[in-house]
Amino acid sequence: MVLAAVAVARSFGLVPKPPVAGLAVGAVLTALVVVVAVTGQGGGPSGTDAAEHTGHAGHMASGTATRTVDVTLSGMRVRPGTIEAAPGTRLVLRVTNVDTQEHDLRLDTGQRTPMLRTGETATLRLDPLRKAIDGWCTVPGHRAAGMTLRITPTGAATASAGSADSQASPAPLDLTASPSREWRPYDAALKPAPGGREHRVEIRVEEKDLEVAPGVRQRMWTFNGTVPGPTLRGSVGDVFTVTFVNSGTMGHGIDFHAGALAPDRPMRTIQPGERLTYRFRADQAGAWLYHCSTMPMTEHIANGMYGAVVIDPPKLPRVDREYILVQGELYTGQIGDAARSARLRRGDADGWMFNGTAAGYDHAPLTARTGERVRFWVVAAGPSSGTAFHIIGTRFDTVYKEGAYLLRPGRDRGGAQVLDLAAAQGGFIETTFPEPGRYSFVDHDMRHGEAGAHGYIQVTSGEDE
């Protein structure tokens, strides 16, 4: 069976190699690009591998050169990024992944390597070079992050045509449209901390089609099937033991800002079907972000891989209601599409969302009663922008931001209008609603608010219910 698999791989120009052993070998492969030129007799492309070209004349037609180039994949780069060769040269690319996550290399000729794990190698044999060839890693976001290759005939122009950055953004979202009948809002009601000093949680990667704006469905990478993922809650000193399971189709990791520990192992990228245990102690209070730790993080966070951890400050007063709102950016279109990835890297979002749907709480308002004290926990997931959280028609008498109270009732007569958070920051505000009505909450950065970062709170008097 193994011999048959190798034969099939060779028929497509793909020759898998065993993993490269040792960090020293990986370092050499990253730094070293070996080019071997051989001339020979005969016709047709050679079926021998690069090592044989080094010591033999081969069986190529007279005057035709074969060059073997060692190509490495690492750190969101293809090395070398540019290869020049004389027209007619038959290039053999020996491609090795020396990174900690999977990569591949696809050429615009249609040739491609399989997805390569750490240390794996595959060989691509090209036809005689006649024109420029572009190559890239097909893992979503990697091409836009700079993981590209350009092969150019000597003397040919090196500029690539059709830059993704020049492509237009999609049409604006219709946020006044009705969601589909199947859509359900993310439950923003935040339950009290469950008690106990240790919390055991499973967080599973799931790829899922979700409605991210009224009538707009998008393939998302999620934690436990929702955007944001599940909210974890506890008290200062609690220990969280998280079983992280990758049920997706590519590598992912996870990073909890609420804990402090060396990231090497718990935040490493794990492959589909793998799992790891992530254990941290929450020694400090706050509203903390967690997110996928796999590069490029812009792509993974923007595709929905984020959530919140709420660690109550000591002696946190009880309130009548609590909500959690996690704000994130929305990029519509196919994951990995070059134009979409370019917009993402510019921060040119198509919309902004509270809890995974742009304008979602316009259609499913939060609720409160007059006179109730309501606490809103807010986390800015980004990946690039923060929030200026504001509720139209009321003021805040309590503001807690990044682990500290900025305003508390009874200490002075001051009030606040906005909880301002940069990307990855969190906190909460408290307020009461003076009379029945529909109150809007909004990111007061109006680019965000008008593009989906808004919703309603339907306030009633107790007599109305």
Side-chain angles (χ1 to χ4, degrees):
M1 182 178 293
V2 173
L3 293 176
V6 172
V8 171
R10 287 183 179 277
S11 71
F12 283 89
L14 308 176
V15 184
K17 302 286 187 182
V20 177
L23 294 176
V25 176
V28 171
L29 286 172
T30 304
L32 180 62
V33 176
V34 180
V35 180
V36 182
V38 181
T39 60
Q41 305 294 323
S46 171
T48 58
D49 72 12
E52 293 172 328
H53 289 312
T54 302
H56 295 81
H59 301 286
M60 309 302 295
S62 178
T64 299
T66 298
R67 287 179 53 190
T68 299
V69 181
D70 277 332
V71 177
T72 60
L73 311 176
S74 179
M76 293 298 144
R77 289 293 181 269
V78 180
R79 296 183 176 89
T82 302
I83 300 171
E84 289 192 2
T89 302
R90 295 180 183 273
L91 288 170
V92 178
L93 306 184
R94 189 164 52 202
V95 184
T96 302
N97 180 16
V98 296
D99 207 356
T100 57
Q101 61 176 301
E102 292 184 345
H103 298 290
D104 65 353
L105 181 64
R106 178 173 182 170
L107 305 179
D108 61 14
T109 59
Q111 293 169 289
R112 64 187 302 173
T113 71
M115 196 62 67
L116 301 174
R117 290 176 176 259
T118 304
E120 290 184 335
T121 298
T123 301
L124 299 177
R125 289 180 169 77
L126 281 60
D127 291 334
L129 186 62
R130 303 299 181 196
K131 62 179 182 178
I133 298 172
D134 286 316
W136 61 92
C137 178
T138 67
V139 175
H142 290 199
R143 183 181 188 180
M147 225 170 164
T148 60
L149 168 69
R150 181 75 166 172
I151 302 172
T152 308
T154 304
T158 59
S160 297
S163 169
D165 288 353
S166 66
Q167 300 185 38
S169 296
L173 300 169
D174 182 3
L175 299 174
T176 63
S178 297
S180 70
R181 298 181 66 178
E182 295 77 22
W183 175 76
R184 297 291 181 273
Y186 185 95
D187 185 1
L190 183 61
K191 298 178 177 60
R197 304 305 292 174
E198 182 164 357
H199 309 281
R200 295 185 176 274
V201 182
E202 180 178 281
I203 293 183
R204 183 178 294 269
V205 174
E206 298 179 17
E207 297 177 4
K208 194 170 182 180
D209 291 332
L210 298 176
E211 191 161 349
V212 294
V216 179
R217 292 186 67 80
Q218 176 98 358
R219 190 67 158 176
M220 302 295 282
W221 300 339
T222 76
F223 294 131
N224 288 11
T226 63
V227 176
T231 299
L232 311 185
R233 191 172 192 180
S235 301
V236 173
D238 286 2
V239 173
F240 291 81
T241 302
V242 179
T243 301
F244 178 55
V245 183
N246 188 353
S247 296
T249 60
M250 61 176 292
H252 294 291
I254 196 165
D255 173 7
F256 289 93
H257 289 193
L261 70 175
D264 306 58
R265 291 191 58 78
M267 300 181 199
R268 71 185 185 274
T269 295
I270 62 172
Q271 299 306 322
E274 295 181 345
R275 63 176 57 208
L276 62 78
T277 299
Y278 191 130
R279 182 181 173 90
F280 68 92
R281 182 182 300 276
D283 289 323
Q284 295 173 315
W288 305 91
L289 179 68
Y290 71 88
H291 60 86
C292 183
S293 56
T294 297
M295 290 292 289
M297 280 186 264
T298 49
E299 192 87 30
H300 290 246
I301 295 172
N303 291 340
M305 305 193 80
Y306 56 82
V309 178
V310 172
I311 304 301
D312 292 347
K315 300 180 180 179
L316 180 68
R318 292 182 63 86
V319 292
D320 297 296
R321 298 178 194 249
E322 289 185 273
Y323 290 111
I324 178 73
L325 295 169
V326 184
Q327 184 171 317
E329 299 164 13
L330 170 60
Y331 295 86
T332 59
Q334 184 69 34
I335 292 176
D337 174 75
R340 179 181 182 272
S341 294
R343 296 199 312 275
L344 197 162
R345 293 181 69 78
R346 293 195 304 266
D348 185 14
D350 303 307
W352 279 262
M353 311 178 289
F354 282 116
N355 290 352
T357 306
Y361 295 113
D362 284 18
H363 306 279
L366 306 179
T367 60
R369 294 181 182 179
T370 54
E372 287 185 331
R373 174 163 290 274
V374 186
R375 179 181 294 136
F376 292 85
W377 294 85
V378 184
V379 174
S384 300
S385 59
T387 186
F389 182 76
H390 172 70
I391 301 177
I392 299 171
T394 190
R395 297 158 298 184
F396 311 150
D397 64 11
T398 304
V399 177
Y400 180 90
K401 175 183 174 182
E402 287 292 279
Y405 283 98
L406 305 183
L407 181 68
R408 300 180 80 166
R411 301 205 172 183
D412 51 47
R413 297 187 61 83
Q417 58 203 307
V418 160
L419 173 61
D420 60 316
L421 301 171
Q425 289 189 323
F428 68 78
I429 60 90
E430 293 176 13
T431 191
T432 57
F433 297 96
E435 57 187 4
R438 178 169 280 198
Y439 295 74
S440 297
F441 62 89
V442 63
D443 180 345
H444 217 288
D445 182 328
M446 287 304 172
R447 298 170 302 154
H448 306 165
E450 294 172 359
H454 55 74
Y456 293 116
I457 306 154
Q458 187 65 52
V459 178
T460 61
S461 68
E463 301 170 357
D464 295 335
E465 297 183 355

